[in-house]
mmCIF file of all heavy atoms in Angstrom:
data_model
loop_
_atom_site.group_PDB
_atom_site.id
_atom_site.type_symbol
_atom_site.label_atom_id
_atom_site.label_comp_id
_atom_site.label_asym_id
_atom_site.label_seq_id
_atom_site.Cartn_x
_atom_site.Cartn_y
_atom_site.Cartn_z
ATOM 1 N N ALA Z 1436 0.819 -1.217 0.000
ATOM 2 C CA ALA Z 1436 0.000 0.000 0.000
ATOM 3 C C ALA Z 1436 0.850 1.261 0.000
ATOM 4 O O ALA Z 1436 0.466 2.274 -0.595
ATOM 5 C CB ALA Z 1436 -0.926 -0.011 1.209
ATOM 6 N N PHE Z 1437 1.988 1.200 0.665
ATOM 7 C CA PHE Z 1437 2.865 2.369 0.762
ATOM 8 C C PHE Z 1437 4.168 2.129 0.010
ATOM 9 O O PHE Z 1437 5.245 2.506 0.465
ATOM 10 C CB PHE Z 1437 3.127 2.705 2.233
ATOM 11 C CG PHE Z 1437 1.902 3.133 2.985
ATOM 12 C CD1 PHE Z 1437 1.216 2.234 3.791
ATOM 13 C CD2 PHE Z 1437 1.418 4.429 2.877
ATOM 14 C CE1 PHE Z 1437 0.079 2.612 4.482
ATOM 15 C CE2 PHE Z 1437 0.279 4.826 3.564
ATOM 16 C CZ PHE Z 1437 -0.396 3.922 4.364
ATOM 17 N N ASP Z 1438 4.058 1.508 -1.132
ATOM 18 C CA ASP Z 1438 5.227 1.201 -1.962
ATOM 19 C C ASP Z 1438 5.993 2.483 -2.292
ATOM 20 O O ASP Z 1438 5.408 3.490 -2.691
ATOM 21 C CB ASP Z 1438 4.775 0.520 -3.257
ATOM 22 C CG ASP Z 1438 5.941 0.047 -4.099
ATOM 23 O OD1 ASP Z 1438 6.972 -0.317 -3.527
ATOM 24 O OD2 ASP Z 1438 5.805 0.070 -5.338
ATOM 25 N N GLY Z 1439 7.307 2.431 -2.111
ATOM 26 C CA GLY Z 1439 8.148 3.583 -2.402
ATOM 27 C C GLY Z 1439 8.384 4.482 -1.211
ATOM 28 O O GLY Z 1439 9.197 5.409 -1.287
ATOM 29 N N ARG Z 1440 7.695 4.236 -0.109
ATOM 30 C CA ARG Z 1440 7.881 5.036 1.105
ATOM 31 C C ARG Z 1440 8.673 4.228 2.125
ATOM 32 O O ARG Z 1440 8.378 3.062 2.362
ATOM 33 C CB ARG Z 1440 6.538 5.427 1.705
ATOM 34 C CG ARG Z 1440 6.668 6.244 2.990
ATOM 35 C CD ARG Z 1440 5.341 6.524 3.639
ATOM 36 N NE ARG Z 1440 4.482 7.338 2.800
ATOM 37 C CZ ARG Z 1440 3.287 7.767 3.177
ATOM 38 N NH1 ARG Z 1440 2.817 7.447 4.362
ATOM 39 N NH2 ARG Z 1440 2.562 8.505 2.358
ATOM 40 N N GLU Z 1441 9.674 4.846 2.733
ATOM 41 C CA GLU Z 1441 10.459 4.182 3.763
ATOM 42 C C GLU Z 1441 10.050 4.606 5.163
ATOM 43 O O GLU Z 1441 9.995 3.788 6.070
ATOM 44 C CB GLU Z 1441 11.957 4.444 3.548
ATOM 45 C CG GLU Z 1441 12.537 3.749 2.322
ATOM 46 C CD GLU Z 1441 12.478 2.227 2.418
ATOM 47 O OE1 GLU Z 1441 12.297 1.695 3.526
ATOM 48 O OE2 GLU Z 1441 12.590 1.578 1.365
ATOM 49 N N SER Z 1442 9.784 5.892 5.367
ATOM 50 C CA SER Z 1442 9.398 6.383 6.684
ATOM 51 C C SER Z 1442 7.874 6.360 6.822
ATOM 52 O O SER Z 1442 7.170 6.852 5.953
ATOM 53 C CB SER Z 1442 9.912 7.806 6.897
ATOM 54 O OG SER Z 1442 11.317 7.815 6.957
ATOM 55 N N LEU Z 1443 7.408 5.784 7.918
ATOM 56 C CA LEU Z 1443 5.959 5.692 8.131
ATOM 57 C C LEU Z 1443 5.665 5.677 9.615
ATOM 58 O O LEU Z 1443 6.340 5.001 10.395
ATOM 59 C CB LEU Z 1443 5.411 4.419 7.487
ATOM 60 C CG LEU Z 1443 3.886 4.231 7.577
ATOM 61 C CD1 LEU Z 1443 3.158 5.269 6.747
ATOM 62 C CD2 LEU Z 1443 3.494 2.824 7.135
ATOM 63 N N CYS Z 1444 4.649 6.445 10.000
ATOM 64 C CA CYS Z 1444 4.101 6.394 11.355
ATOM 65 C C CYS Z 1444 2.593 6.236 11.214
ATOM 66 O O CYS Z 1444 1.881 7.201 10.923
ATOM 67 C CB CYS Z 1444 4.449 7.651 12.141
ATOM 68 S SG CYS Z 1444 3.843 7.614 13.847
ATOM 69 N N GLY Z 1445 2.110 5.034 11.381
ATOM 70 C CA GLY Z 1445 0.700 4.739 11.227
ATOM 71 C C GLY Z 1445 0.498 3.258 10.976
ATOM 72 O O GLY Z 1445 1.445 2.532 10.686
ATOM 73 N N TYR Z 1446 -0.732 2.782 11.119
ATOM 74 C CA TYR Z 1446 -1.067 1.376 10.887
ATOM 75 C C TYR Z 1446 -0.217 0.426 11.736
ATOM 76 O O TYR Z 1446 0.127 -0.670 11.312
ATOM 77 C CB TYR Z 1446 -0.933 1.024 9.405
ATOM 78 C CG TYR Z 1446 -2.019 1.630 8.549
ATOM 79 C CD1 TYR Z 1446 -1.831 2.851 7.908
ATOM 80 C CD2 TYR Z 1446 -3.254 1.002 8.409
ATOM 81 C CE1 TYR Z 1446 -2.830 3.427 7.135
ATOM 82 C CE2 TYR Z 1446 -4.254 1.568 7.637
ATOM 83 C CZ TYR Z 1446 -4.044 2.776 7.014
ATOM 84 O OH TYR Z 1446 -5.044 3.342 6.252
ATOM 85 N N GLY Z 1447 0.151 0.864 12.947
ATOM 86 C CA GLY Z 1447 0.940 0.009 13.828
ATOM 87 C C GLY Z 1447 2.414 -0.003 13.523
ATOM 88 O O GLY Z 1447 3.155 -0.829 14.072
ATOM 89 N N VAL Z 1448 2.879 0.909 12.681
ATOM 90 C CA VAL Z 1448 4.279 0.953 12.269
ATOM 91 C C VAL Z 1448 4.898 2.289 12.647
ATOM 92 O O VAL Z 1448 4.274 3.340 12.476
ATOM 93 C CB VAL Z 1448 4.413 0.741 10.741
ATOM 94 C CG1 VAL Z 1448 5.812 1.074 10.263
ATOM 95 C CG2 VAL Z 1448 4.050 -0.680 10.368
ATOM 96 N N GLY Z 1449 6.128 2.249 13.131
ATOM 97 C CA GLY Z 1449 6.944 3.436 13.294
ATOM 98 C C GLY Z 1449 8.352 3.074 12.882
ATOM 99 O O GLY Z 1449 9.124 2.516 13.666
ATOM 100 N N THR Z 1450 8.696 3.329 11.618
ATOM 101 C CA THR Z 1450 9.974 2.861 11.091
ATOM 102 C C THR Z 1450 10.492 3.775 9.997
ATOM 103 O O THR Z 1450 9.713 4.488 9.347
ATOM 104 C CB THR Z 1450 9.844 1.430 10.531
ATOM 105 O OG1 THR Z 1450 11.128 0.942 10.122
ATOM 106 C CG2 THR Z 1450 8.889 1.369 9.358
ATOM 107 N N ASP Z 1451 11.786 3.744 9.786
ATOM 108 C CA ASP Z 1451 12.432 4.457 8.685
ATOM 109 C C ASP Z 1451 12.800 3.520 7.543
ATOM 110 O O ASP Z 1451 13.444 3.944 6.580
ATOM 111 C CB ASP Z 1451 13.719 5.144 9.168
ATOM 112 C CG ASP Z 1451 13.443 6.436 9.909
ATOM 113 O OD1 ASP Z 1451 12.471 7.122 9.564
ATOM 114 O OD2 ASP Z 1451 14.208 6.745 10.843
ATOM 115 N N CYS Z 1452 12.454 2.261 7.664
ATOM 116 C CA CYS Z 1452 12.836 1.279 6.635
ATOM 117 C C CYS Z 1452 11.671 0.335 6.381
ATOM 118 O O CYS Z 1452 11.783 -0.875 6.604
ATOM 119 C CB CYS Z 1452 14.098 0.517 7.034
ATOM 120 S SG CYS Z 1452 14.115 -0.073 8.747
ATOM 121 N N LEU Z 1453 10.564 0.886 5.910
ATOM 122 C CA LEU Z 1453 9.351 0.096 5.711
ATOM 123 C C LEU Z 1453 9.558 -1.046 4.725
ATOM 124 O O LEU Z 1453 8.984 -2.121 4.881
ATOM 125 C CB LEU Z 1453 8.212 1.000 5.224
ATOM 126 C CG LEU Z 1453 6.871 0.310 4.968
ATOM 127 C CD1 LEU Z 1453 6.330 -0.312 6.250
ATOM 128 C CD2 LEU Z 1453 5.860 1.296 4.385
ATOM 129 N N SER Z 1454 10.373 -0.844 3.702
ATOM 130 C CA SER Z 1454 10.552 -1.891 2.691
ATOM 131 C C SER Z 1454 11.272 -3.115 3.249
ATOM 132 O O SER Z 1454 11.081 -4.227 2.758
ATOM 133 C CB SER Z 1454 11.316 -1.341 1.486
ATOM 134 O OG SER Z 1454 12.638 -0.981 1.851
ATOM 135 N N ALA Z 1455 12.089 -2.917 4.278
ATOM 136 C CA ALA Z 1455 12.836 -4.036 4.857
ATOM 137 C C ALA Z 1455 13.106 -3.768 6.337
ATOM 138 O O ALA Z 1455 14.261 -3.626 6.754
ATOM 139 C CB ALA Z 1455 14.140 -4.246 4.102
ATOM 140 N N PRO Z 1456 12.075 -3.711 7.161
ATOM 141 C CA PRO Z 1456 12.288 -3.448 8.588
ATOM 142 C C PRO Z 1456 12.964 -4.639 9.262
ATOM 143 O O PRO Z 1456 12.828 -5.780 8.805
ATOM 144 C CB PRO Z 1456 10.862 -3.252 9.113
ATOM 145 C CG PRO Z 1456 10.013 -4.059 8.192
ATOM 146 C CD PRO Z 1456 10.649 -3.932 6.837
ATOM 147 N N PRO Z 1457 13.698 -4.404 10.343
ATOM 148 C CA PRO Z 1457 14.386 -5.503 11.029
ATOM 149 C C PRO Z 1457 13.441 -6.310 11.907
ATOM 150 O O PRO Z 1457 13.406 -6.159 13.131
ATOM 151 C CB PRO Z 1457 15.444 -4.769 11.864
ATOM 152 C CG PRO Z 1457 14.810 -3.448 12.163
ATOM 153 C CD PRO Z 1457 14.005 -3.095 10.937
ATOM 154 N N VAL Z 1458 12.661 -7.174 11.295
ATOM 155 C CA VAL Z 1458 11.674 -7.956 12.039
ATOM 156 C C VAL Z 1458 11.993 -9.448 12.084
ATOM 157 O O VAL Z 1458 11.374 -10.183 12.845
ATOM 158 C CB VAL Z 1458 10.252 -7.749 11.457
ATOM 159 C CG1 VAL Z 1458 9.806 -6.305 11.633
ATOM 160 C CG2 VAL Z 1458 10.179 -8.170 9.998
ATOM 161 N N GLU Z 1459 12.939 -9.912 11.285
ATOM 162 C CA GLU Z 1459 13.307 -11.326 11.284
ATOM 163 C C GLU Z 1459 14.288 -11.611 12.413
ATOM 164 O O GLU Z 1459 15.178 -10.813 12.696
ATOM 165 C CB GLU Z 1459 13.954 -11.707 9.945
ATOM 166 C CG GLU Z 1459 13.090 -11.468 8.723
ATOM 167 C CD GLU Z 1459 12.016 -12.520 8.548
ATOM 168 O OE1 GLU Z 1459 12.099 -13.567 9.246
ATOM 169 O OE2 GLU Z 1459 11.104 -12.305 7.735
ATOM 170 N N TRP Z 1460 14.141 -12.766 13.069
ATOM 171 C CA TRP Z 1460 15.081 -13.166 14.118
ATOM 172 C C TRP Z 1460 16.393 -13.621 13.490
ATOM 173 O O TRP Z 1460 16.444 -14.596 12.756
ATOM 174 C CB TRP Z 1460 14.504 -14.282 14.968
ATOM 175 C CG TRP Z 1460 15.526 -14.935 15.868
ATOM 176 C CD1 TRP Z 1460 15.989 -16.215 15.789
ATOM 177 C CD2 TRP Z 1460 16.212 -14.325 16.981
ATOM 178 N NE1 TRP Z 1460 16.919 -16.452 16.775
ATOM 179 C CE2 TRP Z 1460 17.086 -15.310 17.521
ATOM 180 C CE3 TRP Z 1460 16.177 -13.051 17.561
ATOM 181 C CZ2 TRP Z 1460 17.899 -15.051 18.627
ATOM 182 C CZ3 TRP Z 1460 16.995 -12.803 18.656
ATOM 183 C CH2 TRP Z 1460 17.839 -13.783 19.175
ATOM 184 N N LYS Z 1461 17.468 -12.881 13.786
ATOM 185 C CA LYS Z 1461 18.799 -13.222 13.300
ATOM 186 C C LYS Z 1461 19.830 -13.153 14.416
ATOM 187 O O LYS Z 1461 21.028 -13.116 14.150
ATOM 188 C CB LYS Z 1461 19.199 -12.277 12.159
ATOM 189 C CG LYS Z 1461 18.292 -12.369 10.938
ATOM 190 C CD LYS Z 1461 18.719 -11.398 9.847
ATOM 191 C CE LYS Z 1461 17.804 -11.506 8.635
ATOM 192 N NZ LYS Z 1461 18.194 -10.522 7.572
ATOM 193 N N GLY Z 1462 19.341 -13.095 15.655
ATOM 194 C CA GLY Z 1462 20.242 -13.015 16.790
ATOM 195 C C GLY Z 1462 20.491 -11.606 17.275
ATOM 196 O O GLY Z 1462 21.263 -11.407 18.224
ATOM 197 N N ASP Z 1463 19.851 -10.623 16.641
ATOM 198 C CA ASP Z 1463 19.981 -9.221 17.038
ATOM 199 C C ASP Z 1463 18.598 -8.625 17.283
ATOM 200 O O ASP Z 1463 17.582 -9.293 17.093
ATOM 201 C CB ASP Z 1463 20.719 -8.425 15.963
ATOM 202 C CG ASP Z 1463 22.174 -8.857 15.819
ATOM 203 O OD1 ASP Z 1463 22.871 -8.907 16.854
ATOM 204 O OD2 ASP Z 1463 22.603 -9.158 14.689
ATOM 205 N N GLY Z 1464 18.569 -7.343 17.660
ATOM 206 C CA GLY Z 1464 17.307 -6.690 17.962
ATOM 207 C C GLY Z 1464 16.385 -6.615 16.765
ATOM 208 O O GLY Z 1464 16.831 -6.506 15.615
ATOM 209 N N THR Z 1465 15.081 -6.674 17.031
ATOM 210 C CA THR Z 1465 14.061 -6.528 15.983
ATOM 211 C C THR Z 1465 13.118 -5.406 16.396
ATOM 212 O O THR Z 1465 12.773 -5.274 17.575
ATOM 213 C CB THR Z 1465 13.261 -7.830 15.779
ATOM 214 O OG1 THR Z 1465 12.429 -8.081 16.936
ATOM 215 C CG2 THR Z 1465 14.184 -9.011 15.539
ATOM 216 N N TYR Z 1466 12.715 -4.594 15.421
ATOM 217 C CA TYR Z 1466 11.908 -3.414 15.729
ATOM 218 C C TYR Z 1466 10.895 -3.152 14.625
ATOM 219 O O TYR Z 1466 11.171 -3.357 13.454
ATOM 220 C CB TYR Z 1466 12.800 -2.171 15.872
ATOM 221 C CG TYR Z 1466 13.892 -2.303 16.901
ATOM 222 C CD1 TYR Z 1466 15.189 -2.642 16.511
ATOM 223 C CD2 TYR Z 1466 13.642 -2.090 18.251
ATOM 224 C CE1 TYR Z 1466 16.201 -2.776 17.452
ATOM 225 C CE2 TYR Z 1466 14.649 -2.212 19.197
ATOM 226 C CZ TYR Z 1466 15.927 -2.560 18.792
ATOM 227 O OH TYR Z 1466 16.929 -2.695 19.726
ATOM 228 N N ILE Z 1467 9.713 -2.609 15.038
ATOM 229 C CA ILE Z 1467 8.714 -2.169 14.065
ATOM 230 C C ILE Z 1467 7.964 -0.929 14.546
ATOM 231 O O ILE Z 1467 7.319 -0.246 13.764
ATOM 232 C CB ILE Z 1467 7.713 -3.307 13.736
ATOM 233 C CG1 ILE Z 1467 6.914 -2.986 12.475
ATOM 234 C CG2 ILE Z 1467 6.777 -3.572 14.925
ATOM 235 C CD1 ILE Z 1467 7.734 -2.864 11.221
ATOM 236 N N GLN Z 1468 8.064 -0.581 15.844
ATOM 237 C CA GLN Z 1468 7.374 0.601 16.362
ATOM 238 C C GLN Z 1468 8.305 1.524 17.134
ATOM 239 O O GLN Z 1468 7.865 2.493 17.737
ATOM 240 C CB GLN Z 1468 6.209 0.188 17.280
ATOM 241 C CG GLN Z 1468 5.094 -0.558 16.572
ATOM 242 C CD GLN Z 1468 3.900 -0.829 17.480
ATOM 243 O OE1 GLN Z 1468 3.951 -0.647 18.693
ATOM 244 N NE2 GLN Z 1468 2.806 -1.288 16.896
ATOM 245 N N LYS Z 1469 9.587 1.267 17.103
ATOM 246 C CA LYS Z 1469 10.542 1.964 17.969
ATOM 247 C C LYS Z 1469 10.512 3.473 17.800
ATOM 248 O O LYS Z 1469 10.634 4.226 18.769
ATOM 249 C CB LYS Z 1469 11.954 1.437 17.712
ATOM 250 C CG LYS Z 1469 13.015 2.022 18.622
ATOM 251 C CD LYS Z 1469 14.378 1.408 18.327
ATOM 252 C CE LYS Z 1469 15.448 1.962 19.241
ATOM 253 N NZ LYS Z 1469 16.782 1.377 18.951
ATOM 254 N N SER Z 1470 10.347 3.951 16.584
ATOM 255 C CA SER Z 1470 10.429 5.396 16.358
ATOM 256 C C SER Z 1470 9.198 6.144 16.850
ATOM 257 O O SER Z 1470 9.178 7.366 16.846
ATOM 258 C CB SER Z 1470 10.664 5.689 14.872
ATOM 259 O OG SER Z 1470 9.560 5.263 14.099
ATOM 260 N N GLY Z 1471 8.159 5.414 17.278
ATOM 261 C CA GLY Z 1471 6.967 6.064 17.814
ATOM 262 C C GLY Z 1471 6.989 6.247 19.320
ATOM 263 O O GLY Z 1471 6.034 6.758 19.898
ATOM 264 N N ILE Z 1472 8.083 5.831 19.960
ATOM 265 C CA ILE Z 1472 8.150 5.864 21.421
ATOM 266 C C ILE Z 1472 8.216 7.299 21.939
ATOM 267 O O ILE Z 1472 8.929 8.139 21.402
ATOM 268 C CB ILE Z 1472 9.365 5.051 21.910
ATOM 269 C CG1 ILE Z 1472 9.109 3.550 21.684
ATOM 270 C CG2 ILE Z 1472 9.646 5.321 23.382
ATOM 271 C CD1 ILE Z 1472 10.317 2.679 21.961
ATOM 272 N N VAL Z 1473 7.453 7.551 23.017
ATOM 273 C CA VAL Z 1473 7.437 8.870 23.659
ATOM 274 C C VAL Z 1473 8.084 8.798 25.041
ATOM 275 O O VAL Z 1473 9.039 9.495 25.328
ATOM 276 C CB VAL Z 1473 6.003 9.413 23.777
ATOM 277 C CG1 VAL Z 1473 5.999 10.784 24.454
ATOM 278 C CG2 VAL Z 1473 5.346 9.497 22.402
ATOM 279 N N GLN Z 1474 7.545 7.941 25.919
ATOM 280 C CA GLN Z 1474 8.096 7.805 27.271
ATOM 281 C C GLN Z 1474 8.737 6.436 27.449
ATOM 282 O O GLN Z 1474 8.248 5.443 26.912
ATOM 283 C CB GLN Z 1474 7.000 7.951 28.327
ATOM 284 C CG GLN Z 1474 6.357 9.311 28.406
ATOM 285 C CD GLN Z 1474 5.472 9.415 29.640
ATOM 286 O OE1 GLN Z 1474 5.928 9.331 30.784
ATOM 287 N NE2 GLN Z 1474 4.182 9.594 29.402
ATOM 288 N N ASP Z 1475 9.814 6.404 28.229
ATOM 289 C CA ASP Z 1475 10.504 5.161 28.563
ATOM 290 C C ASP Z 1475 10.308 4.903 30.051
ATOM 291 O O ASP Z 1475 10.763 5.673 30.889
ATOM 292 C CB ASP Z 1475 11.988 5.285 28.218
ATOM 293 C CG ASP Z 1475 12.777 4.008 28.466
ATOM 294 O OD1 ASP Z 1475 12.217 3.070 29.066
ATOM 295 O OD2 ASP Z 1475 13.955 3.959 28.068
ATOM 296 N N PHE Z 1476 9.641 3.799 30.403
ATOM 297 C CA PHE Z 1476 9.388 3.465 31.791
ATOM 298 C C PHE Z 1476 10.437 2.532 32.385
ATOM 299 O O PHE Z 1476 10.368 2.180 33.564
ATOM 300 C CB PHE Z 1476 8.004 2.816 31.937
ATOM 301 C CG PHE Z 1476 6.857 3.740 31.628
ATOM 302 C CD1 PHE Z 1476 5.784 3.303 30.856
ATOM 303 C CD2 PHE Z 1476 6.836 5.032 32.114
ATOM 304 C CE1 PHE Z 1476 4.718 4.148 30.582
ATOM 305 C CE2 PHE Z 1476 5.780 5.886 31.849
ATOM 306 C CZ PHE Z 1476 4.712 5.443 31.073
ATOM 307 N N GLY Z 1477 11.369 2.057 31.573
ATOM 308 C CA GLY Z 1477 12.427 1.208 32.091
ATOM 309 C C GLY Z 1477 12.085 -0.271 32.055
ATOM 310 O O GLY Z 1477 11.154 -0.706 31.370
ATOM 311 N N LEU Z 1478 12.854 -1.053 32.816
ATOM 312 C CA LEU Z 1478 12.813 -2.516 32.758
ATOM 313 C C LEU Z 1478 11.954 -3.106 33.869
ATOM 314 O O LEU Z 1478 11.925 -2.592 34.990
ATOM 315 C CB LEU Z 1478 14.229 -3.073 32.854
ATOM 316 C CG LEU Z 1478 15.194 -2.624 31.758
ATOM 317 C CD1 LEU Z 1478 16.615 -3.060 32.099
ATOM 318 C CD2 LEU Z 1478 14.770 -3.169 30.404
ATOM 319 N N PHE Z 1479 11.300 -4.222 33.543
ATOM 320 C CA PHE Z 1479 10.458 -4.942 34.489
ATOM 321 C C PHE Z 1479 10.721 -6.430 34.306
ATOM 322 O O PHE Z 1479 10.840 -6.917 33.180
ATOM 323 C CB PHE Z 1479 8.977 -4.638 34.251
ATOM 324 C CG PHE Z 1479 8.623 -3.189 34.421
ATOM 325 C CD1 PHE Z 1479 8.834 -2.280 33.391
ATOM 326 C CD2 PHE Z 1479 8.098 -2.729 35.626
ATOM 327 C CE1 PHE Z 1479 8.522 -0.934 33.553
ATOM 328 C CE2 PHE Z 1479 7.779 -1.394 35.788
ATOM 329 C CZ PHE Z 1479 7.994 -0.491 34.755
ATOM 330 N N GLU Z 1480 10.780 -7.155 35.422
ATOM 331 C CA GLU Z 1480 11.037 -8.587 35.309
ATOM 332 C C GLU Z 1480 9.847 -9.335 34.732
ATOM 333 O O GLU Z 1480 10.018 -10.377 34.095
ATOM 334 C CB GLU Z 1480 11.425 -9.165 36.671
ATOM 335 C CG GLU Z 1480 12.809 -8.708 37.139
ATOM 336 C CD GLU Z 1480 13.272 -9.415 38.380
ATOM 337 O OE1 GLU Z 1480 12.426 -10.048 39.068
ATOM 338 O OE2 GLU Z 1480 14.480 -9.341 38.675
#
């Protein structure tokens, strides 16, 4: 739907790399909404 666009905030997405977001498990971090974050509450067990 958003072919040709890399930056998007909407439809559950906050990313700068819509065509190839880091969502596959390869042993490193995966993200799809990170750029939409406002407040950080820290870590919880």
Side-chain angles (χ1 to χ4, degrees):
F1437 295 99
D1438 186 32
R1440 179 185 297 183
E1441 290 296 343
S1442 293
L1443 183 67
C1444 182
Y1446 288 94
V1448 168
T1450 185
D1451 281 327
C1452 45
L1453 180 62
S1454 65
V1458 295
E1459 301 283 347
W1460 168 247
K1461 298 179 180 178
D1463 294 309
T1465 69
Y1466 304 98
I1467 195 63
Q1468 295 186 349
K1469 184 178 181 181
S1470 64
I1472 289 172
V1473 180
Q1474 294 190 63
D1475 183 351
F1476 294 136
L1478 300 171
F1479 299 82
E1480 290 188 344

